Structure formats: structure tokens, C-alpha cells
Amino acid sequence: MASFTTVNDKIRGCLVGGALGDAIGLFTEFFSSQQAREYYGDSPKFKLRPPAPSGFNYRVMHIDRHRGAFEEAGWTDDTDQALLILMAFLKNGGPGEGIQAQDFATRLKHWVSFGFRPLDRLPLGLGRTVGSVVRSESFLNDPIGRSTEVWESGGRVMAANGAVMRTPIVGALFYMNQGALYSTAIDIAATTHADPRCLASCTIASALVAAIMRDELKTEDDIRRIVEDSLVPIMSREVSLSEEHVKELHDIIWKNDIVEMELDGRRSIGYTYKCLACGVWALRQGLAALSTPVDDPHKLAHVFERVITDLTMAAGDSDTNCAVAGSLLGCLIGYANLPAGWKEDLKHRDWLLSKADAATYLITRQGTPYSQAEDADNLVDGGKGIMSKEEIDAKWLVMMETLHKRTGDIDDLGKVKKAKVRDDCIIA
């Protein structure tokens, strides 16, 4: 069994690695790879907080109306939703038999309306699939049923990455109980994404992390074995993967070059298989580095920075691709080996570490004791109560004022004062 220090370092690495990937990936989200090069050059060194040091091609985020809405040096909805899973785990007092779909659905519904309350974060970046499911009046009555209805009404073709982006943390939390791992990954995915390709992506991503936690992932053959094992619970479902989709999965996740993945292809940038492929590709880079002796104490940090930078420059749905890649690779190399500069700049880093440490204690019963009853952060509303319409409207307006200042649209601030809030967005 892995030592407490190793387990803690890997859980920290999974959580913070995912947040770092999410935050850096935002630099080019929805860009084409050509646009990414136009804004950042051919070989940038990304920095989360300005100013960018002179030399070495350092680049800070290009601020526009999309990127300017998010917190500086912060993450997006991808990490927020992973944190909903972690908060449910902490509230339950540890692994148990897993996290129920209803529990996660309740937290997700609250997040869509009010954001991530423990850190007072607005629900920015909400994906189309998640929004169409969660905003339904019947969602909390039967989350998985409503998700399935939306998928079927869309012709059973929607297979977006909004589920796989949040589930790698499941592997870190339930690595000692494969049954709970699979049931939790499937239930949490199916609350919004019913397509079996989405469910398979989530069982695979979670199982890869779990294998890393158990020190059972050393080679690419191990990845192949875990992928096949993770398909078993999906293939036994009433609606399982077709032979065509199984073949497509293998074709995509084993591409050797991210250029071949066409991550910025406009019609498929949010495809769940592409996102999973980024995670598998990141793991393969990490395994190659671990197997190559190099006398450099920062070798693994350089690998993480290169992987996330390359995926960011590939653009498309880069924050989500990098969130999954960062979670898997971060777990493999551990928090101690993540890039120091990125860790230092990441907003809310210490809060993330405290929650990773709490999860470690609940799993190992070692380290700083954690009492779920004394931590209001793990409650659905973060212990802060339901926000009034006036309160949430005020927060949206503050965000819009900040956005206009960051983008330099000072002349439009007067319009913001008169704006109205509809469906969690500003209508000016």
C-alpha cells in the first residue's frame, strides 16, 4: 500500500494539476490553433498572473470578452464541477459506497444558479448540454431520466465532454473500491450526459487515476488494460457502446501526435473522446519521461508545462482538454513536481490543498484530522444560505463591470449599470 505522503501528493497533484490545466487552457479556449499562434507566438511560456517577465517568450492571457469574465489566475466551470464531487465526498465522510446521482445533481443545480459558494465564484462557462438538462424543472425529480430524455430528443448523438472534465477526481477518491469508483463515475456522468461514449470516457479517466493511486500504471500496456477493463461496466448496460464507437475510441485515444486529433476542428471541439485522448496522450508523455533517466530535478515539471502548453496551443476546447490532461498527469507525477511558477500564481491554491488534505485524511485516517461536521464548505450552499435575486444580480453586475475594465471597454460601463440579468447571464 502506498505511503500517506505518496497518496497525499497524488491527490493534491490530481486536483491542482487539473485546476492548472483548466486555468492555462483558458488562454486559447475556442481559438483555432492559428489564432493561438497569432496571440501567443510559436513557443510561448505561459504565466498565469501579469506582468510577463522579459525574455524567454513569456506570455500572459490575452483578455477579451470571454477570458476577461473569469477570475485572474483562476479556473473555469470544469474545476468547479470537480469540486462539487469533492465536496460531496467530504460531506459523506469518505469513500463509503460512492456518491449518489441525486446528491451530485442537487449540488450541480445549485451551482448553475449561484455558482461555487465556498469561494464565491459565479457559474461561468456553463456548457450547452449541462445547461439544457439542469435547467429543466423536472431535473431534480429524476436527474438521469431527464438527462436521457434530452439525449434521446437530440437524436442520441450528443457526446460532449462536460462529464469527463469533472470525473478524474473520482479515481483519486475511490481508488480502493473499484465498484464504488465505477458506479460513482457513471452516475455523476449520467446526471447530464447519457451517451455511452460519455460514460465510457468517465470510467476510463477515473480508472486511470485510480490505477496511478495504486501504483499499477507503469507502461502503455497498463493503459490499454485499464481502458479495456473500464469498458466492461458500460458494455453491460442496456444502452451500450456500438462496435463502431468502440473502434473509434481506440483510434482516437492512441494517436501519437495531438495535431492528428484536430482539437480545434469547429464541429467536434467538445467531443468527449477527443478530451479523453488528451488525457491519455498526457499520461504517455509522463510515462516516457519517468522511464528516461535525466539528471534534472525539474524534469517532470518541465514535462507537465510542455504537455499543457502544447495542448493549449492546439486550441479548441482547450481548458477542458487541459483540465483532464492536467488531472491525469498531475496525479502521475504528484503535486511536488508541478511547475512551481504556475502553482505559486494559481488563485485559491491553498484552499485546494486543504481540501485535498481533508480527502486524504478521510481515505487514510492519517495526517491532519478532518471533521465534515465542522466544514461548512461541503454543504450544498457552502453554509451561506440561498442567495436572493438581488444578491445574485449584484454579483453578475460586478463581474460585468470588471470585464469591461479588463477589456478596456470603459465607455460601455454605463450600459452595464442598466443591464438586466436573465438565465444567469447579463443582457445589456
Side-chain angles (χ1 to χ4, degrees), residues 24-25 28 32-33 36-37 41-46 256-259 261 263-264 278 281-282 285 302-316 318 321-322 325 329 342:
I24 294 293
T28 63
S32 67
S33 58
R37 291 192 298 273
D42 288 328
S43 301
K45 286 183 67 66
F46 291 123
N256 292 316
D257 192 329
I258 56 176
V259 173
M261 300 181 197
L263 297 177
D264 62 344
C278 291
W281 180 81
Q285 308 309 301
H302 294 326
V303 170
F304 187 93
E305 184 172 353
R306 174 181 64 81
V307 164
I308 297 303
T309 298
D310 286 353
L311 288 172
T312 297
M313 292 303 291
S318 47
N321 295 335
C322 290
L329 183 55
W342 286 1

Side-chain angles (χ1 to χ4, degrees), residues 296-361:
D296 178 3
H298 305 297
K299 175 183 73 171
L300 295 179
H302 294 326
V303 170
F304 187 93
E305 184 172 353
R306 174 181 64 81
V307 164
I308 297 303
T309 298
D310 286 353
L311 288 172
T312 297
M313 292 303 291
D317 201 357
S318 47
D319 65 322
T320 301
N321 295 335
C322 290
V324 173
S327 295
L328 271 62
L329 183 55
C331 187
L332 181 70
I333 67 174
Y335 175 80
N337 289 310
L338 295 177
W342 286 1
K343 288 191 293 188
E344 181 179 343
D345 281 352
L346 183 66
K347 192 175 182 65
H348 306 304
R349 178 200 59 186
D350 290 343
W351 185 91
L352 290 176
L353 292 177
S354 71
K355 300 309 179 188
D357 293 350
T360 305
Y361 174 78

